[in-house]
Amino acid sequence: MKVSQAIATRKTVRAFRSEAVDAETVRRILARAARAPSGGNLQPWRVYVLLDAARDELVRRVKEQMTQTPMGQTPEYHIYPPQLTEPYKTRRSRIGEAMYATMGIPREDRASRLKHFVRNWEFFGAPVGMIFTIDRQMQQGQWADLGMFMENIMLLAREEGLHTCPQEAWALWPKTIREYLAVPENEMIFCGMGLGYADDAAAVNTLESERAPLEEFALIRDHS
Ligand SMILES: Cc1cc2nc3c(=O)[nH]c(=O)nc-3n(C[C@H](O)[C@H](O)[C@H](O)COP(=O)(O)O)c2cc1C
């Protein structure tokens, strides 16, 4: 598979088949993904990989906690800027509307929207769950490095016939995750990721996200 094919076919999958992913495949993806560049070669990424019963147990613990705090705990960072401005605000609402439209869930149907949202905390059915953390001393540059590591995982997954779902929704359960995985205090819970085989029959997986045209984000200068 060419890199361009991996990029073109990567998309956020929000419904996975239950079919297991071989642990060796997961290890291979992670080892290769760690070839990501990082400033000063700090390699500031850290990932907790949950297979089989370990994944189920996190899902179970979160479900249990949801009876007390249905929408989770306080995240350790702002998932979005508190005062998100345009054009980002509109982009965010457009992708949300487009996603719910694939499932025929109207804006007024809050209950069905919520029901879909909380599937985040089941990794949308993915058999492999990952939690990414970063040392609190790290700055913006190292967060970018972590993002490159994550993107490598998502692209390498394509090469293995797998799909992914990066999930900041997991940042809403820092206490539960920390306790269960014994994450040291110096590590901040950044996000999760589901990995598995896409359920091609699921309506939500037909979603095609938009992108702004090149002219909007690339400021190309020449000497003329
Ligand atoms: C760091 C990160 C966190 C994300 N968190 C979530 C999430 O919690 N739940 C979700 O359904 N999608 C999540 N997404 C997926 C984005 O909504 C998605 O990448 C975007 O809409 C573009 O769509 P695409 O990935 O299909 O190209 C996340 C993406 C990234 C990069």
Side-chain angles (χ1 to χ4, degrees):
M1 181 180 267
K2 288 166 70 174
V3 177
S4 55
Q5 289 169 326
I7 292 173
T9 62
R10 185 217 56 83
K11 62 177 182 177
T12 296
V13 156
R14 297 183 178 89
F16 291 86
R17 304 204 311 262
S18 56
E19 192 179 333
V21 177
D22 172 55
E24 254 326 294
T25 305
V26 179
R27 295 178 73 90
R28 186 165 56 240
I29 289 173
L30 294 171
R32 287 176 173 168
R35 295 304 306 172
S38 57
N41 202 21
L42 259 55
Q43 306 162 63
W45 42 78
R46 204 162 158 83
V47 58
Y48 295 77
V49 185
L50 306 177
L51 307 175
D52 310 318
R55 169 221 175 269
D56 296 348
E57 176 59 13
L58 177 62
V59 170
R60 191 197 66 76
R61 287 187 183 214
V62 164
K63 202 159 276 179
E64 193 178 76
Q65 289 290 309
M66 277 172 68
T67 56
Q68 287 156 42
T69 51
M71 291 311 290
Q73 299 148 351
T74 308
E76 299 184 286
Y77 68 99
H78 289 295
I79 295 179
Y80 294 108
Q83 305 295 330
L84 193 64
T85 59
E86 294 299 344
Y88 314 108
K89 208 173 157 189
T90 299
R91 287 179 188 164
R92 187 182 172 195
S93 64
R94 276 179 73 85
I95 192 66
E97 287 309 316
M99 183 184 73
Y100 289 117
T102 63
M103 297 176 281
I105 305 175
R107 187 188 287 269
E108 316 76 68
D109 191 352
R110 306 286 305 163
S112 298
R113 288 190 169 205
L114 187 64
K115 205 171 148 200
H116 171 78
F117 178 77
V118 301
R119 291 271 296 150
N120 264 295
W121 300 326
E122 296 171 2
F123 292 101
F124 291 113
V128 181
M130 289 180 266
I131 300 291
F132 296 85
T133 66
I134 186 161
D135 195 306
R136 290 181 201 277
Q137 68 183 295
M138 298 304 175
Q139 302 292 312
Q140 284 92 332
Q142 290 75 49
W143 281 69
D145 298 338
L146 172 55
M148 292 185 232
F149 172 65
M150 290 175 59
E151 174 71 342
N152 273 359
I153 294 175
M154 295 188 269
L155 297 181
L156 287 160
R158 294 305 303 122
E159 198 178 286
E160 304 277 358
L162 296 161
H163 272 101
T164 49
C165 182
Q167 297 180 280
E168 274 159 345
W170 282 103
L172 288 158
W173 294 101
K175 278 190 191 156
T176 307
I177 292 171
R178 188 175 301 287
E179 190 181 291
Y180 172 48
L181 299 174
V183 178
E185 274 306 323
N186 66 300
E187 288 176 33
M188 194 190 287
I189 312 290
F190 169 41
C191 74
M193 187 187 288
L195 171 76
Y197 295 95
D199 178 355
D200 293 325
V204 70
N205 286 343
T206 62
L207 177 63
E208 282 178 30
S209 57
E210 303 174 330
R211 291 296 186 274
L214 181 106
E215 294 69 31
E216 255 184 60
F217 64 87
L219 304 144
I220 302 171
R221 304 278 156 79
D222 60 25
H223 295 286
S224 58

